[in-house]
Amino acid sequence: MPNLPSMAGASASTSRNFDLFFKQATGKPDPPYPYQARLATGGVPELLDIPTGLGKTAAVILGWLWRRRFADAETRSDTPRRLVYCLPMRVLVEQTRDNAARWIENLGLSSEVKIHVLMGGEDADNWDARPEHDAILVGTQDMLLSRALNRGYGMSRYRWPMHFGLLNSDCLWVMDETQLMGVGVETSAQLEAFRSRLFGTRGPARTLWMSATLAQGQLETVDHPKPPQGWRAEKLELEDRAKPEVEQRVQARKTVEKLALSLSEETKKRYTRELAETTVERHLPGTLTLVVVNQVARAQEIFRLLDQGRAGDNTALVHSRFRPADRAQHERILLKDGDRIVVATQAVEAGVDVSARTLVTELAPWPSLVQRFGRCNRYGEFRQGAGEGRLEGTVLWADIDPEGESDVFLPYESRDLRPARSEMEKLSDAGPQSLPALPSAPVIRPVLRRKDLLALFDTTPDLCGNDLDVSRYIRDGEDADVQVFWRELGDGAPADDLAEPGRTELCSVSVGGFREFLRGMKKRAVQAWRWDPLEKAWESVNEARPGQVYLLARASGGYSNELGWTGIPKDTPSIVPGAAETSDAADRDKDTFIGRPIELTSHLSHVVEQAEALTSRLGEDPEFEAILKAARWHDVGKAHHAFQEMLRDSDATLSSDKLWAKSASKQGRCARKGFRHELASALAWLQLASDDEPQRDLIAYVIAAHHGKVRLSIRSWPNEAEPEDPERLFARGIWDGDLLPAVSLGDGQVAPTVDLDLSVMRLGDGPRGESWLARMLRLRDDPKLGPFRLAFLETLLRLADWRASELEKGRP
């Protein structure tokens, strides 16, 4: 732990103590800027409106660490234990993670505060397994918002509810670089309203939006109205501007010059070559020239032309359509010192910490241009040129024709380019002090409503295996992405045991771009594949859906190690060596196999012990008693003859006079296809629990949900084995009237023999009272529970089960 004074009763010295904390974290003698100290020692606002290059990331992360770990007791308890740092694109995620890791290590907190990355494939560190610990989650808006909406991209569908519960409880969300997030801003505002006003959460939860160019109207949504006094905002004050380095950055000059070339339908064939030639002409040796264009394909072509004419390792390409390792090679050039030309897309707009002597940019919407200006003379270090008689920070801009039928202005709308064009025509200096605040044109976007969020709580797919699509709430239009990886495949389908993709293999591709690639593949008789979680096999696909993970044969091409995703078949990538790792990207469930037999009663007792330990670390909660009772009953359904026969068939050493929870073999196959023991457990509890049990339905829900496969509804699946009697109800391998033998629950408790009654799967009241669906909807809509708390509670039992299994393996 850092050598810092205790904060108990020390409010008068709070600022001084934070100064010491900040210096120790950064490893530098410089104290924090006054606004950074205000953010840490005062209340957390809704907005952080600070110019680029003045340490917003450090302000937020170190401010949260201070409040969570070193402030007074009341502030610590009111500070969420998870910091969720949301960024618009993956190029920033690792940079933010590395900064946070360095600060935490300097503070001696590496063993107490973990950092987890969520982007382009599920990480193997299981961040969701430690909800009682302080943590920093850094990820892209695709990965984080999709999880907050219970439809997590690139992860197991069976863990969706866990991330939904944890990312909507006990969290401080930080939405950074919001000018690039589009509809993600409105969605984050609605989620904030759902947490704070409509549903409630387990633990404090709030959101901080930060950008120097945030259109505040995006925050004013149907359920998140602007307060009468306005949003609370942290901005630069006089005491901040009194700092010489702040004033130097704010007053940094950047001369603006319009280039003679422009992009239109008539010039598009020669435009990239002319821009490349102009870049070389205007580049000053020994400095960084940054070229920012609006489309990946244009950036790739300009880079290719530059790379042909420049020797040495001093030309790079930065965009969001690279695999991580290939992108890192280019970013190394971007971030080094000395002579280099870097061609980029919007990926550099969002906080990339570089300062170019010369910025070449295409016309873009005004907020994007402001962000691009922030990469030129970022620190005000380029002064009056002694020999040139002009300022050394230079912005060169190329016009784009926003009119006509051409698509040259994409991905932007022509209406967004017109006001920016008008302003650029008269702009002579792009320094922060010279930039006007242009009003942004109103944009009509989909808004996540209360009914939408409630519909997303149920993760059961429809009868065709499809899910509700959340992409329209995460990114605008065709901005939604899929993840693609390549393997060497033979002529047939991939093997079902093909290793799942590691994060280093995955490339983000726009849905529109991948759909176009798939249409071309039909002519070449090449196939793409997606893991089918119901059939547990790879299926051939010819259509793409946002957030999915797709497999391509290496021979199918579409990717260049040097250029990233191109969609060109002749561009074939290398196979990433050793990239395959255990993950959930293929929709598989977490494996609780322990490699040895264990009796059912023993396992139930172990899970109860883990549930008690976990809930005690999280503090008091009236619903935690339900978790303990659910733990006692959660695997009672494993006493079913179909499950016991499966275990004994796979392990001949198991005695038939005992009930088993696990065997030493993974090879067992249940005769009842799709059998779900947790449904049998929940039915047994409902039938055997006392009528005056106040948490009866909650306990039944948590029992049924502890693998994420049975939640709000009970229905049979198309591939199930059916009983001979057509009138006999069946669902998830359970047949109405199945006998469940008596089970010793441990601690002297016994669940007596029971004939399982599936009548609750029918709609309306039946012999057991209300239907399962009616009971579960009442829980979801209970103001004392709500969807966020309910998902959090089901997560706790799942974690207790996982932890018990780990201990049974012999490793805590």
Side-chain angles (χ1 to χ4, degrees):
M1 293 289 291
N3 185 23
L4 293 167
S6 169
M7 287 306 302
S11 58
S13 59
T14 297
S15 181
R16 184 176 68 254
N17 291 335
F18 179 73
D19 284 0
L20 296 174
F21 167 90
F22 189 91
K23 292 176 182 178
Q24 184 170 339
T26 60
K28 298 177 181 178
D30 304 320
Y33 297 133
Y35 91 86
Q36 293 174 319
R38 292 195 302 270
L39 189 66
T41 59
V44 177
E46 283 95 6
L47 306 179
L48 183 60
D49 185 3
I50 301 293
T52 185
L54 289 177
K56 293 193 295 292
T57 302
V60 168
I61 293 178
L62 294 179
W64 170 80
L65 272 171
W66 172 262
R67 295 172 66 83
R68 178 67 189 162
R69 308 292 300 193
F70 300 104
D72 60 86
E74 182 179 357
T75 299
R76 291 199 302 270
S77 64
D78 188 50
T79 301
R81 70 181 71 222
R82 282 178 291 281
L83 174 66
V84 183
Y85 203 107
C86 184
L87 293 154
M89 53 188 64
R90 58 189 297 161
V91 72
L92 288 175
V93 170
E94 290 169 340
Q95 173 183 303
T96 303
R97 178 211 49 201
D98 292 344
N99 286 334
R102 184 175 68 254
W103 299 329
I104 287 174
E105 183 177 0
N106 290 343
L107 290 167
L109 295 174
S110 297
S111 62
E112 301 178 47
V113 181
K114 299 298 182 182
I115 304 172
H116 310 276
V117 169
L118 287 88
M119 65 173 186
E122 181 69 0
D123 287 318
D125 61 1
N126 293 331
W127 71 266
D128 51 357
R130 295 178 284 272
E132 71 272 41
H133 294 291
D134 293 350
I136 298 174
L137 310 177
V138 187
T140 61
Q141 71 185 83
D142 303 74
M143 297 299 158
L144 289 171
L145 286 179
S146 65
R147 284 158 170 74
L149 296 178
N150 213 12
R151 291 298 183 276
Y153 289 174
M155 64 173 292
S156 168
R157 65 180 302 112
Y158 306 120
R159 288 172 82 162
W160 286 349
M162 300 181 68
H163 289 203
F164 175 75
L166 294 176
L167 288 175
N168 286 299
S169 298
D170 217 352
C171 287
L172 171 61
W173 275 74
V174 177
M175 307 297 291
D176 194 5
E177 306 295 352
T178 54
Q179 77 282 352
L180 296 176
M181 288 185 171
V183 71
V185 177
E186 284 91 344
T187 297
S188 67
Q190 282 294 97
L191 284 170
E192 170 63 22
F194 296 156
R195 298 180 196 117
S196 62
R197 301 180 184 186
L198 297 183
F199 301 132
T201 62
R202 207 281 167 180
R206 53 185 63 95
T207 306
L208 170 64
W209 293 270
M210 60 188 213
S211 170
T213 54
L214 173 64
Q216 295 190 20
Q218 288 184 263
L219 300 183
E220 198 170 350
T221 57
V222 59
D223 295 305
H224 191 250
K226 188 175 182 178
Q229 69 278 15
W231 310 112
R232 292 173 298 155
E234 185 65 67
K235 301 182 178 182
L236 293 183
E237 304 290 352
L238 290 176
E239 59 178 336
D240 296 288
R241 292 180 177 274
K243 296 281 187 180
E245 63 272 26
V246 173
E247 188 66 8
Q248 176 178 315
R249 296 185 185 192
V250 172
Q251 295 296 329
R253 299 287 308 277
K254 309 160 192 193
T255 56
V256 176
E257 178 184 336
K258 184 179 181 181
L259 294 173
L261 59 98
S262 64
L263 176 60
S264 66
E265 181 66 24
E266 291 73 29
T267 65
K268 66 180 183 180
K269 291 184 178 179
R270 63 177 186 272
Y271 171 80
T272 53
R273 180 169 295 279
E274 290 178 350
L275 189 59
E277 292 172 350
T278 300
T279 297
V280 173
E281 291 171 5
R282 301 300 297 268
H283 172 68
L284 292 178
T287 70
L288 167 63
T289 294
L290 180 62
V291 184
V292 187
V293 296
N294 301 340
Q295 294 182 4
V296 172
R298 279 207 294 274
Q300 290 170 330
E301 178 62 14
I302 293 169
F303 168 76
R304 187 182 62 80
L305 292 168
L306 289 173
D307 202 41
Q308 289 175 350
R310 285 172 55 83
D313 192 17
N314 57 4
T315 307
L317 175 65
V318 177
H319 58 72
S320 59
R321 305 307 183 196
F322 273 113
R323 296 183 301 193
D326 300 328
R327 186 184 72 246
Q329 294 296 319
H330 290 277
E331 289 179 353
R332 178 180 57 81
I333 298 172
L334 170 67
L335 299 175
K336 74 175 187 177
D337 295 325
D339 184 85
R340 63 219 193 273
I341 297 178
V342 177
V343 185
T345 62
Q346 298 87 335
V348 297
E349 291 179 17
V352 175
D353 193 11
V354 296
S355 183
R357 161 62 183 79
T358 305
L359 171 69
V360 181
T361 177
E362 293 180 335
L363 180 67
W366 186 249
S368 291
L369 288 173
V370 172
Q371 294 297 323
R372 296 177 190 186
F373 299 156
R375 314 306 144 202
C376 177
N377 200 14
R378 182 174 175 83
Y379 312 111
E381 73 273 34
F382 297 119
R383 305 303 181 99
Q384 185 77 26
E388 299 172 89
R390 60 182 175 83
L391 296 175
E392 289 190 321
T394 303
V395 174
L396 309 173
W397 70 282
D399 195 12
I400 295 178
D401 180 9
E403 310 299 341
E405 300 298 324
S406 175
D407 61 357
V408 294
F409 51 77
L410 294 178
Y412 302 119
E413 299 285 345
S414 58
R415 66 187 177 193
D416 296 323
L417 296 182
R418 293 189 193 104
R421 186 191 210 186
S422 176
E423 192 61 39
M424 289 300 293
E425 292 284 4
K426 57 188 177 184
L427 193 67
S428 60
D429 173 37
Q433 79 288 347
S434 301
L435 298 178
L438 295 186
S440 57
V443 179
I444 298 175
R445 294 188 174 102
V447 176
L448 179 77
R449 302 298 297 270
R450 179 182 185 275
K451 64 180 179 61
D452 301 316
L453 192 282
L454 292 177
L456 289 167
F457 182 75
D458 190 6
T459 54
T460 307
D462 64 24
L463 293 176
C464 296
N466 297 320
D467 297 295
L468 293 175
D469 183 10
V470 298
S471 61
R472 64 187 181 277
Y473 304 127
I474 295 175
R475 284 195 186 270
D476 292 337
E478 289 298 304
D479 285 349
D481 286 351
V482 299
Q483 304 291 322
V484 183
F485 70 106
W486 289 261
R487 294 281 176 80
E488 293 285 4
L489 299 177
D491 296 332
D496 291 345
D497 61 353
L498 182 78
E500 299 170 18
R503 184 166 57 82
T504 55
E505 291 181 275
L506 291 165
C507 175
S508 293
V509 181
S510 71
V511 167
F514 194 61
R515 285 172 178 164
E516 184 177 348
F517 181 76
L518 292 179
R519 285 193 290 269
M521 288 176 66
K522 294 178 183 178
K523 302 175 183 178
R524 304 190 303 276
V526 181
Q527 292 176 303
W529 306 87
R530 184 184 74 91
W531 179 256
D532 183 339
L534 296 181
E535 295 296 334
K536 300 188 182 301
W538 292 97
E539 65 171 353
S540 176
V541 296
N542 54 25
E543 183 53 53
R545 298 188 65 190
Q548 297 293 318
V549 177
Y550 295 97
L551 166 64
L552 290 175
R554 192 180 82 89
S556 300
Y559 184 93
S560 159
N561 289 8
E562 294 73 33
L563 299 176
W565 172 263
T566 64
I568 299 174
K570 68 178 182 180
D571 290 336
T572 54
S574 62
I575 297 299
V576 178
E581 59 189 36
T582 301
S583 76
D584 289 320
D587 285 328
R588 292 162 184 161
D589 194 18
K590 180 177 173 65
D591 185 9
T592 55
F593 175 69
I594 65 172
R596 67 186 184 89
I598 185 165
E599 292 186 44
L600 180 54
T601 302
S602 297
H603 179 65
L604 295 175
S605 298
H606 295 161
V607 175
V608 171
E609 292 169 1
Q610 292 304 310
E612 289 174 339
L614 176 57
T615 54
S616 68
R617 296 188 190 108
L618 290 168
E620 296 182 2
D621 192 302
E623 271 75 47
F624 283 175
E625 183 62 30
I627 302 301
L628 302 183
K629 291 182 180 179
R632 184 73 66 185
W633 283 76
H634 79 288
D635 270 358
V636 165
K638 286 185 174 180
H640 193 286
H641 68 85
F643 193 89
Q644 292 298 306
E645 289 169 3
M646 176 188 70
L647 293 182
R648 287 195 291 268
D649 287 347
S650 66
D651 186 350
T653 66
L654 299 185
S655 169
S656 60
D657 59 357
K658 294 180 180 180
L659 294 175
W660 300 94
K662 302 173 188 287
S663 74
S665 173
K666 295 182 69 173
Q667 305 307 313
R669 293 293 180 268
C670 189
R672 297 264 187 98
K673 190 172 183 179
F675 179 85
R676 298 312 313 168
H677 66 273
E678 63 270 29
L679 175 56
S681 303
L683 294 172
W685 162 261
L686 271 184
Q687 294 173 227
L688 296 173
S690 170
D691 290 339
D692 58 1
E693 168 58 61
Q695 297 178 315
R696 180 177 179 176
D697 290 344
L698 174 59
I699 294 168
Y701 172 80
V702 173
I703 291 171
H706 82 268
H707 284 291
K709 298 182 179 181
V710 182
R711 300 179 74 245
L712 287 196
S713 58
I714 300 174
R715 73 162 189 254
S716 56
W717 291 99
N719 59 356
E720 281 193 51
E722 302 182 22
E724 293 182 2
D725 181 358
E727 300 299 319
R728 190 176 183 182
L729 296 173
F730 67 98
R732 312 308 298 269
I734 310 298
W735 295 356
D736 189 54
D738 279 348
L739 177 70
L740 203 66
V743 177
S744 172
L745 304 175
D747 198 26
Q749 301 181 47
V750 175
T753 301
V754 62
D755 293 322
L756 298 179
D757 184 352
L758 266 174
S759 62
V760 292
M761 72 182 287
R762 289 190 168 122
L763 298 180
D765 292 350
R768 296 290 174 185
E770 291 181 300
S771 69
W772 177 270
L773 180 61
R775 294 168 188 260
M776 300 305 112
L777 290 179
R778 191 174 62 252
L779 286 175
R780 185 200 65 184
D781 299 337
D782 184 342
K784 295 181 180 178
L785 286 171
F788 299 142
R789 288 178 59 87
L790 197 54
F792 180 81
L793 292 172
E794 66 181 280
T795 297
L796 298 185
L797 179 57
R798 296 185 72 175
L799 294 178
D801 191 21
W802 293 0
R803 293 180 182 187
S805 296
E806 289 298 306
L807 287 170
E808 289 162 355
K809 289 179 184 177
R811 59 172 192 251

